[in-house]
Amino acid sequence: MAKKMWAGRFEKATDKAVNDYNSSLPFDCRMYKQDIEGSVAHSAMLAKQGIISQEDADKIREGLLSIMADIESGKLTFDSDAEDIHMFIEEELTERIGDAGKRLHTGRSRNDQVALDQRLYAVDEATEIMSLLGELRDALIEIAKDNLDTYMPGYTHLQRAQPITYAHYLGAYIEMFGRDLDRLEQAISRANISPLGSGALAGTTYPLDREWVADKLGMSGVTANSLDGVADRDWALDLASFASIFMMHLSRMSEEIILYASQEFKFYELDDAYSTGSSMMPQKKNPDVAELTRGKTGRVYGDLMSLLVTMKGLPLTYNKDMQEVQEAIFDVIDTLKGALVPFIGMIKTMTIRKDNMEKAALGGFTNATDLADYLVRKGIPFRSTHEISGKLVHYCIANNTTLEKLSLEQFKQFSDLIEEDVYDAISLKTCVEKRLVTGGPSSKAMTDYLNSL
Ligand code: ARG
């Protein structure tokens, strides 16, 4: 085993089992790029401040960039007994450029270094997630624009309630994903702050220019307290909280995709490329993407819980427990990216069966409220009209028919105030188009809404 950089005060080498247990290289190696970018910025600042020579800073920069190139080409692999990616890169650098490599860590601790790398990594990945989430929302907006008069039932208790349009239905998810985008943007802005200069916990005696490094790394500022700088993992909790709420939305939508693609509903037909078959039952076409998304939601909640529990009892400042934060947040990132790509493809390719949606909207007495409202306009109090409409529904069920198919004579048996204009009042189109209120399903309200986005 290679000699540890901190071996000075030790008499014995680390036990192999301890080294394996301690090492985060197998998972933190994914942050090699951020580690190198952070180190390049830090060393450039050390030279600018006269803490190391420009010559050493140049050597460090070249050495680090050659390491990055070799990792990317596959020439340099992570099969070492290094403790983590930070040690791995520094050891490799010193091997390549000699003593100058040993000057890189001046005025820096691994505690502020890991905090920086993880924030940079999280910001990069979260930005990618933000663009995928935007793509999903834009796809829904486009589909909504094409379905302003696609009627379907709206549900409460999963019972047909009142008619809406498919555009209006999608509008609910467009809103949810809009709030998710806000949450993600806030999480990114809180993560994008540099802790470098916090040192191990108490800052440093070197005259570092922290703001300059932050600026060079595209970060918006520096942390204000060195203890908090190394002990804070709130940015990971912010990201996992956003992710949990977002996955809850995606899971609700998945549940509806699963239902709507069933033979019982037949509102959706999933594209062949986005569904799977059964090894035994030849007729099956399964909504695996939606089911997996629903399933993986639990996994993201688990990551959030794991982060909360890992952090809750930790005294200030850095504790090794915090190494565990990485796998949880990496899993959040991987799960979201993994779900979003196929989910977007599924949404963009599935066929909407407008005929079946409309049939369902016509079938479940979804216009019974509008019939009651019609009678209110004739001067009867709503509580009474509710009862008359309910009795008419009961009559229709007993006679296996629907409200709009009743004759005027049949209507009049329940209220002689009902006239010929009832048919227009309870038509699907009227039920939807009369709901002009902001946030409602009418094509006017929905067009205004979609134009406001
Ligand atoms: N691999 C460690 C981590 O990610 C590095 C921090 C080590 N710091 C220390 N004081 N031992 O948490």
Side-chain angles (χ1 to χ4, degrees):
M1 204 175 299
K3 196 164 147 241
K4 296 287 183 211
M5 289 193 180
W6 37 255
R9 64 98 66 217
F10 287 80
E11 286 183 4
K12 283 187 187 172
T14 316
D15 184 86
K16 166 133 177 41
V18 172
N19 197 65
D20 291 349
Y21 188 51
N22 208 28
S23 175
S24 51
L25 187 64
F27 50 86
D28 66 17
C29 61
R30 61 162 79 197
M31 298 189 302
Y32 72 86
K33 194 168 147 271
Q34 288 76 16
D35 190 74
I36 289 174
E37 281 166 6
S39 290
V40 168
H42 178 67
S43 56
M45 180 274 294
L46 290 178
K48 179 180 90 70
Q49 299 296 93
I51 301 166
I52 65 170
S53 69
Q54 188 59 50
E55 198 193 331
D56 279 346
D58 291 343
K59 274 196 203 151
I60 290 171
R61 185 172 183 278
E62 275 161 38
L64 287 170
L65 295 182
S66 77
I67 291 173
M68 176 125 82
D70 289 352
I71 291 173
E72 271 161 13
S73 70
K75 215 158 113 194
L76 180 61
T77 52
F78 300 116
D79 53 359
S80 113
D81 54 22
E83 219 173 287
D84 54 31
I85 186 63
H86 324 287
M87 291 296 212
F88 174 85
I89 289 176
E90 199 183 320
E91 280 162 11
E92 182 66 27
L93 179 70
T94 304
E95 216 164 275
R96 291 188 185 200
I97 66 166
D99 270 0
K102 294 186 185 169
R103 296 193 207 280
L104 165 62
H105 212 51
T106 316
R108 188 175 74 171
S109 157
R110 244 185 321 150
N111 293 350
D112 57 355
Q113 184 183 1
V114 298
L116 173 78
D117 293 1
Q118 292 170 22
R119 283 170 179 264
L120 286 173
Y121 180 82
V123 168
D124 285 348
E125 296 291 316
T127 305
E128 228 177 277
I129 290 171
M130 184 137 96
S131 92
L132 287 169
L133 180 45
E135 189 185 335
L136 170 62
R137 189 163 180 265
D138 288 347
L140 298 183
I141 293 171
E142 283 317 302
I143 302 170
K145 283 181 180 160
D146 289 339
N147 287 281
L148 290 165
D149 56 2
T150 304
Y151 303 118
M152 68 181 281
Y155 297 87
T156 62
H157 313 269
L158 203 56
Q159 303 287 324
R160 288 175 198 166
Q162 291 178 333
I164 56 171
T165 65
Y166 187 52
H168 189 234
Y169 164 83
L170 291 178
Y173 285 99
I174 293 167
E175 281 298 287
M176 290 179 238
F177 296 143
R179 293 193 295 273
D180 290 330
L181 278 168
D182 284 350
R183 271 185 282 268
L184 178 54
E185 207 177 337
Q186 285 179 18
I188 291 174
S189 76
R190 275 197 286 271
N192 201 22
I193 292 176
S194 172
L196 216 59
S198 302
L201 76 161
T204 169
T205 55
Y206 294 98
L208 304 186
D209 187 344
R210 298 187 60 200
E211 287 76 12
W212 189 88
V213 175
D215 191 55
K216 196 142 184 82
L217 292 169
M219 302 181 101
S220 59
V222 299
T223 52
N225 177 287
S226 64
L227 305 178
D228 187 48
V230 293
D232 168 33
R233 295 295 184 271
D234 289 4
W235 55 269
L237 286 156
D238 275 339
L239 208 52
S241 305
F242 141 77
S244 296
I245 298 175
F246 165 60
M247 286 301 286
M248 179 267 288
H249 295 152
L250 209 57
S251 182
R252 291 183 80 169
M253 191 170 205
S254 295
E255 169 65 14
E256 285 166 345
I257 290 170
I258 295 160
L259 277 174
Y260 293 175
S262 72
Q263 291 304 302
E264 282 66 23
F265 275 83
K266 282 198 207 156
F267 289 180
Y268 291 155
E269 268 168 33
L270 297 183
D271 192 85
D272 280 0
Y274 287 89
S275 37
T276 58
S278 156
S279 56
M280 187 183 188
M281 300 164 283
Q283 84 284 11
K284 289 297 286 293
K285 187 165 168 184
N286 297 326
D288 285 23
V289 172
E291 289 174 293
L292 263 178
T293 304
R294 190 179 55 184
K296 283 181 189 288
T297 302
R299 173 185 183 125
V300 173
Y301 294 175
D303 291 327
L304 172 63
M305 205 42 65
S306 143
L307 287 167
L308 285 165
V309 179
T310 299
M311 295 305 294
K312 82 182 238 309
L314 297 187
L316 295 180
T317 53
Y318 178 83
N319 302 271
K320 192 71 178 211
D321 318 43
M322 286 152 71
Q323 182 164 286
E324 290 290 302
V325 166
Q326 298 175 79
E327 279 176 291
I329 201 66
F330 294 162
D331 191 64
V332 167
I333 289 165
D334 293 347
T335 306
L336 260 63
K337 280 166 73 178
L340 271 161
V341 175
F343 198 92
I344 292 168
M346 171 179 66
I347 292 285
K348 284 184 173 170
T349 55
M350 68 193 193
T351 308
I352 297 138
R353 290 289 304 267
K354 300 185 186 195
D355 52 343
N356 291 332
M357 285 184 174
E358 184 163 337
K359 217 184 291 166
L362 281 168
F365 302 103
T366 58
N367 49 3
T369 315
D370 292 82
L371 177 58
D373 289 342
Y374 164 83
L375 288 166
V376 167
R377 290 196 295 276
K378 300 278 174 186
I380 308 174
F382 181 74
R383 279 292 158 231
S384 310
T385 67
H386 183 285
E387 194 184 344
I388 297 168
S389 180
K391 283 185 173 154
L392 274 156
V393 168
H394 186 261
Y395 175 84
C396 288
I397 293 170
N399 292 281
N400 193 25
T401 184
T402 59
L403 291 170
E404 57 280 3
K405 285 190 192 136
L406 294 178
S407 67
L408 195 53
E409 289 65 44
Q410 285 171 308
F411 271 124
K412 282 198 180 287
Q413 286 169 28
F414 294 82
S415 168
D416 52 13
L417 290 175
I418 299 180
E419 302 294 343
E420 194 61 38
D421 57 355
V422 71
Y423 297 103
D424 180 55
I426 63 169
S427 79
L428 221 42
K429 190 174 164 64
T430 309
C431 293
V432 167
E433 293 300 348
K434 278 242 166 95
R435 288 178 158 76
L436 287 159
V437 66
T438 304
S442 67
S443 55
K444 162 94 178 63
M446 271 310 294
T447 304
D448 289 349
Y449 167 71
L450 292 170
N451 286 339
S452 77
L453 297 175

